[in-house]
Amino acid sequence: MSAGDPQPPEPIPGARLLFSLDPASAHLNHGSYGAVPIGVQRAQQRLRDEMDADPMRFFTQGLVDRIVHVRRHLATFLGADPDGSALVGNATTGAAIVLQSLRLGPGDEVLVTDHGYGAVGFAVQRECRRTGATVRTIEVPLTASDDEIVALVRAALRPGRTKLLMVDQLTSPTARLFPAAAIVATAREHDVPVFVDAAHAPGMLPVAVDALGADFWVGNFHKWAFAPRGTALLVVAPRWRDRIEPLAVSWQQESGFPLRVEWQATLDYTPWLAAPTGLFTLRSLGVDRVRAHNAALAAYGQRVLGEALGLAPADLPDPGAPGVSMRLVPLPDGLVSTVDDAQALRLRIADALGAHVAVSAWRGRSLLRISGQVYNRAEEYVRLAQRLPQLLGALR
């Protein structure tokens, strides 16, 4: 071990006690579903109790104003215009809303990268089938530099035909931070609208959404900002707001964006209303402190797992910036080749080793993704590293 090797950070005192996670498992995959602090769970339960005690009053007296208040709170945290933002269930829902609002047609195309989230890819395919548009994929090597990524995007743009470029701010299958600002600027030069899928950004990364300048931006608060699941913010540039339509029409349709998107009749709004408690928890721990802790822990976990699998430091994918709290560890070639294979291996690791991780099959490569969060400890990664090689060896 050299002096430059990633080392585990000091735990944040008391942070682990804020969560109700089962101690029988090492929860090393915060990036997939997050974890809701106990205080936020209780805040949401109080809201549920209020709703169920008097549903008529809850839904008809002041609920819209409460939603607007939460939206302003979350948008301000992200540096986004509250009047151009809408609360939605998750990033995939935000993508579907934007896609069906574009009014695509034959001859149009949506441009994506091969690092995109699978469910968003399904949404693109469905909208293209429905409208006669096409989808085209930019292949971006895992080791591409920021300049190379921007160059690949620039070369793929077809002004006049490319009606939307969809790019991730931090990719899900490959845990790579893309140069979103440079990509947006490049697309703007060619008058191509950009949708930034920032599912993992709120809470993990310092972002200033309006300064980024994307036409559409969506981020989940239920991953790294400690909100209840089902809380995300869709931000839309001024020139597009009048065109945004909800997936289902309800009683705020005539109010325009964003209320027409947010109000979905008897939806359970308690996750949104409890989301500020999640931000309060994050701020109480110290936003910068949490970010630094999580990124350092993920880097340490990547190192010890890589060493256990016989990988050199150069074999471990660079996340694109030191502040990323998710890291990749390549697994032996041919171990998984399909989504079902990846799911089966993930479940086997969980059952046999007591550790939750993410596994993906990406461009023929088998990739394991880990996260770092304030409830994790260095020994959880070490324990997985000690046992993982034997399990993988038995599968080959």
Side-chain angles (χ1 to χ4, degrees):
M1 183 188 303
S2 69
D5 289 333
Q7 299 298 315
E10 287 294 323
I12 297 177
R16 192 167 192 171
L17 299 176
L18 298 176
F19 297 85
S20 57
L21 292 164
D22 184 354
S25 296
H27 298 269
L28 309 180
N29 186 23
H30 187 88
S32 282
Y33 299 104
V36 184
I38 295 169
V40 182
Q41 296 177 38
R42 290 174 176 168
Q44 185 182 10
Q45 187 57 54
R46 287 193 294 271
L47 288 160
R48 288 196 186 106
D49 292 343
E50 176 191 349
M51 175 175 61
D52 290 326
D54 194 337
M56 244 350 248
R57 180 181 296 276
F58 182 86
F59 281 98
T60 64
Q61 297 185 29
L63 180 54
V64 170
D65 290 339
R66 295 170 79 174
I67 291 170
V68 170
H69 175 76
V70 168
R71 183 213 308 149
R72 292 188 177 281
H73 189 90
L74 302 191
T76 299
F77 177 75
L78 296 174
D81 177 8
D83 293 330
S85 306
L87 289 160
V88 294
N90 51 41
T92 307
T93 299
I97 289 170
V98 169
L99 285 164
Q100 61 95 36
S101 298
L102 286 178
R103 304 167 194 166
L104 298 171
D108 296 338
E109 73 170 16
V110 177
L111 191 61
V112 301
T113 80
D114 58 353
H115 292 248
Y117 185 58
V120 172
F122 290 147
V124 174
Q125 294 168 17
R126 184 187 71 172
E127 191 64 20
C128 287
R129 285 196 304 269
R130 189 180 71 83
T131 62
T134 59
V135 56
R136 189 158 53 90
T137 302
I138 308 169
E139 293 188 356
V140 178
L142 194 58
T143 57
S145 67
D146 285 356
D147 288 344
E148 290 169 338
I149 294 172
V150 174
L152 287 168
V153 171
R154 181 183 296 112
L157 295 173
R158 295 176 179 174
R161 181 172 181 182
T162 305
K163 299 302 181 182
L164 186 68
L165 166 64
M166 303 187 76
V167 64
D168 293 64
Q169 191 158 359
L170 176 59
T171 66
S172 178
T174 56
R176 173 61 196 266
L177 186 67
F178 270 29
I183 291 173
V184 169
T186 297
R188 187 182 299 115
E189 293 172 1
H190 296 82
D191 198 28
V192 173
V194 183
F195 177 98
V196 175
D197 182 346
H200 292 274
M204 185 203 293
L205 303 172
V207 293
V209 176
D210 284 355
L212 182 64
D215 297 83
F216 313 99
W217 184 100
V218 67
N220 292 325
F221 276 77
H222 54 248
K223 292 182 182 287
W224 302 92
F226 297 151
R229 295 170 194 87
T231 306
L233 199 72
L234 171 65
V235 184
V236 178
R239 70 181 180 123
W240 294 100
R241 292 172 191 173
D242 289 343
R243 294 179 61 173
I244 298 298
E245 293 285 349
L247 298 179
V249 173
S250 194
W251 286 103
Q252 290 294 330
Q253 179 66 16
E254 298 306 312
S255 298
F257 182 85
L259 277 175
R260 66 166 46 155
V261 167
E262 292 172 329
W263 187 260
Q264 294 290 296
T266 49
L267 183 75
D268 182 359
Y269 298 97
T270 62
W272 299 355
L273 300 182
T277 308
L279 283 184
F280 175 81
T281 305
L282 179 61
R283 288 180 169 125
S284 298
L285 293 171
V287 177
D288 292 339
R289 185 186 192 188
V290 168
R291 287 171 175 162
H293 171 276
N294 292 349
L297 194 55
Y300 173 74
Q302 183 189 43
R303 176 176 73 77
V304 297
L305 283 165
E307 289 175 351
L309 295 176
L311 300 172
D315 298 325
L316 299 175
D318 185 344
V324 175
S325 301
M326 301 190 301
R327 298 296 173 105
L328 284 187
V329 179
L331 298 177
D333 290 340
L335 198 61
V336 299
S337 57
T338 67
V339 172
D340 288 343
D341 290 344
Q343 175 80 338
L345 178 57
R346 181 189 67 77
L347 292 173
R348 182 151 188 179
I349 292 171
D351 292 341
L353 307 185
H356 292 295
V357 298
V359 179
S360 63
W362 183 81
R363 287 177 60 173
R365 301 186 64 176
S366 307
L367 301 175
L368 182 147
R369 191 193 74 191
I370 56 170
S371 300
Q373 187 48 271
V374 295
Y375 53 75
N376 292 129
R377 293 290 183 267
E379 55 266 27
E380 294 176 316
Y381 304 90
V382 173
R383 191 180 309 117
L384 176 60
Q386 291 170 341
R387 303 174 65 192
L388 184 61
Q390 181 177 359
L391 182 147
L392 297 181
L395 298 177
R396 299 182 68 182

